[in-house]
Amino acid sequence: IKNSFESGSRYERNMIDKIYSELIKNDKELSALDDKISKAHQKSRKVLEYYNDVLDKSDGYYQDAIHLTNTINDSILKHQIENEVNVNSEKYNEKISNIKNLISKLNKNEQDINSFYTAFKIRKTLPEIEKYQNAHPLKTDSLENFIKKQNQLLNELKNLK
């Protein structure tokens, strides 16, 4: 854990993750939990990637269809195509509404997992920062001495004419 507090290391990661990664090295259960969460995130990304790809292509198709329909000069034909595209798009949206709800639930679960895991990591690392603080108590002696020297210098400068 000592390495977590070395100067300069703070910029590599946030302190909680840095301390927690040190804790994981010595705790098989924490390591297993971290692996489990990491794998769940990876699987979630892969699942969403597939669904988002299909949904994005379908949405792109309908946007392109609307855009291209606007290039049709014949107003009757243009209106017919607009209606056909709208009917088809609405049918597709009804068809995928359950999929979108499930994706929303998956995203919500991901956020909840992140939140609870973050809270867990903070709770796990609080005792470690307390140990660090107790091992490095801050005393006022050197600050008070320096302030005295500053005050002497200030008085000296004030008395110069």
Side-chain angles (χ1 to χ4, degrees):
I1 306 284
K2 183 181 176 217
N3 293 339
S4 304
F5 299 103
E6 291 177 1
S7 93
S9 63
R10 177 174 170 79
Y11 299 105
E12 295 169 14
R13 290 173 147 165
N14 72 58
M15 286 301 294
I16 285 103
D17 285 339
K18 190 96 171 124
I19 295 168
Y20 189 74
S21 70
E22 292 292 323
L23 290 173
I24 286 175
K25 290 178 184 176
N26 302 318
D27 189 324
K28 290 180 183 177
E29 288 180 17
L30 285 181
S31 181
L33 175 65
D34 195 64
D35 287 343
K36 190 176 189 178
I37 290 170
S38 179
K39 287 177 184 172
H41 286 314
Q42 289 172 1
K43 287 179 184 177
S44 174
R45 279 194 300 272
K46 283 184 181 178
V47 166
L48 285 176
E49 191 176 297
Y50 170 75
Y51 282 93
N52 286 333
D53 184 52
V54 173
L55 293 172
D56 289 347
K57 285 179 182 172
S58 296
D59 286 343
Y61 172 84
Y62 290 116
Q63 289 173 5
D64 289 346
I66 290 167
H67 175 71
L68 289 175
T69 301
N70 289 328
T71 66
I72 296 173
N73 292 332
D74 185 296
S75 62
I76 294 172
L77 179 60
K78 180 178 183 175
H79 185 68
Q80 288 173 339
I81 298 299
E82 283 175 343
N83 285 337
E84 289 175 29
V85 168
N86 287 333
V87 166
N88 190 282
S89 175
E90 288 172 13
K91 258 189 349 187
Y92 181 71
N93 284 331
E94 285 176 29
K95 185 177 171 181
I96 62 164
S97 69
N98 189 42
I99 296 291
K100 286 190 172 189
N101 287 336
L102 292 172
I103 287 172
S104 291
K105 287 178 184 176
L106 188 145
N107 285 327
K108 172 79 169 82
N109 284 346
E110 279 290 305
Q111 290 172 349
D112 289 348
I113 288 168
N114 283 337
S115 293
F116 279 92
Y117 193 42
T118 297
F120 175 77
K121 290 191 295 187
I122 291 170
R123 285 183 176 139
K124 267 314 221 190
T125 57
L126 276 171
E128 299 303 319
I129 194 65
E130 287 175 351
K131 287 178 196 173
Y132 174 79
Q133 291 163 346
N134 291 334
H136 300 85
L138 297 174
K139 296 178 182 162
T140 60
D141 298 353
S142 62
L143 291 172
E144 288 171 347
N145 286 335
F146 191 70
I147 290 171
K148 282 181 187 177
K149 289 179 182 179
Q150 285 179 320
N151 286 336
Q152 288 172 350
L153 181 58
L154 277 171
N155 286 333
E156 193 179 315
L157 288 170
K158 287 178 185 178
N159 291 328
L160 290 176
K161 294 186 182 193

